[in-house]
Amino acid sequence: MSAHIDVVLVEDDQALAGLISDYLQSQGLHVQVKHEGLAGEACVLSCRPRLAIVDLMLPGLDGVSLCRRLRPLYSGALLVLTASDDEFDQVAALEAGADDYVCKPIKPRVLLARIRALLRRVDVADAGSSASLRVGALEVQPLRRRALLGGVELGLTSSEFDLLVLLARYAGEVVDRETLSLQLRGLPYDGTDRSIDLRASRLRRALGAHPGGGEWVRGVRGQGYMLRAQDLQR
């Protein structure tokens, strides 16, 4: 069954879950629905969907906790649904491992655009992305979705890996926020969104856990982010 599931939707509002599921299935996606956090966790880990959609407020296990528990075990994309416009809740979800979030009330076309952007990143990238990227001691393997520093594999989330691939392709150059937002979220940068900054911060931490890794990702004020170029090979 797992090979046929594109999306696992974990939403306790059964009416809303039915509407979202029906809409996504009308767009050609195969959807499995769960209404409780622990059941959702078990379904994601057994079905291994390309994407899991998680409501922030769930019975049994809340959405932030669910993301935090899934992230080390699940390499697909995580999208959070939230009825809150509180920045704290959105940041908490992203820092727990979510790749993106959508605020309620749900706008179907916006939700579908976010889902497609995430699925593009999970799926095999364009033909030019198949070759490994090497920047000094850092090796990024886009097709295998692996990154190694000094030969040691990095435990990156899906969103961290996607950011690293993009920065590695332009190593030594600043990638501006507009490009990062369009490539990673499928949306123009609105001047206030912090999700790219949070990804960069998490990627820095992941790299920094390895000797010499902390200085790889640099923020350029008012512009964007860059990966330092050192003995670049492709």
Side-chain angles (χ1 to χ4, degrees):
M1 180 173 65
S2 61
H4 302 290
I5 300 298
D6 297 305
V7 177
V8 167
L9 170 63
V10 191
E11 167 61 67
D12 63 322
D13 184 329
Q14 296 192 23
L16 177 60
L19 289 172
I20 293 174
S21 177
D22 288 347
Y23 177 70
L24 296 183
Q25 293 196 87
S26 75
Q27 300 299 313
L29 296 171
H30 294 82
V31 182
Q32 183 84 15
V33 179
K34 296 295 177 182
H35 302 295
E36 189 267 340
L38 290 172
E41 178 184 33
C43 185
V44 170
L45 294 179
S46 61
C47 292
R48 298 287 169 179
R50 298 157 68 203
L51 168 73
I53 303 175
V54 176
D55 184 37
L56 199 61
M57 301 299 294
L58 290 169
L61 184 67
D62 66 86
V64 170
S65 298
L66 178 54
C67 287
R68 189 175 292 116
R69 287 169 60 146
L70 284 174
R71 192 71 282 173
L73 305 172
Y74 169 64
S75 60
L78 286 171
L79 176 66
V80 167
L81 304 181
T82 175
S84 171
D85 59 2
D86 188 334
E87 183 179 298
F88 176 82
D89 290 333
Q90 296 164 2
V91 169
L94 292 168
E95 291 192 331
D99 297 295
D100 203 352
Y101 62 86
V102 172
C103 293
K104 296 178 180 179
I106 300 298
K107 298 178 181 178
R109 290 183 180 178
V110 172
L111 177 62
L112 184 62
R114 298 285 182 89
I115 288 171
R116 283 176 170 165
L118 289 171
L119 291 179
R120 281 195 297 270
R121 303 204 319 254
V122 171
D123 292 342
V124 176
D126 58 73
S129 69
S130 60
S132 293
L133 303 168
R134 295 180 181 272
V135 186
L138 178 66
E139 180 182 359
V140 184
Q141 302 172 359
L143 280 182
R144 300 183 66 187
R145 297 191 70 79
R146 296 179 68 219
L148 302 95
L149 183 59
V152 178
E153 185 163 0
L154 301 171
L156 301 180
T157 68
S158 176
S159 60
E160 293 162 4
F161 182 82
D162 293 329
L163 174 57
L164 180 59
V165 170
L166 187 55
L167 294 179
R169 287 193 181 125
Y170 298 95
E173 303 176 23
V174 177
V175 183
D176 62 68
R177 291 177 184 276
E178 180 73 10
T179 299
L180 290 169
S181 186
L182 286 171
Q183 291 291 321
L184 299 176
R185 302 186 70 225
L187 296 168
Y189 178 59
D190 64 6
T192 62
D193 183 76
R194 293 188 57 205
S195 62
I196 299 298
D197 299 314
L198 288 166
R199 291 185 200 202
S201 176
R202 295 195 324 240
L203 179 58
R204 275 202 198 101
R205 285 202 300 268
L207 287 166
H210 295 258
E215 298 299 319
W216 282 92
V217 178
R218 294 178 180 174
V220 180
R221 192 168 186 174
Q223 297 184 52
Y225 290 91
M226 66 179 291
L227 190 73
R228 71 176 190 183
Q230 181 179 2
D231 302 325
L232 177 61
Q233 298 178 6
R234 295 201 180 193

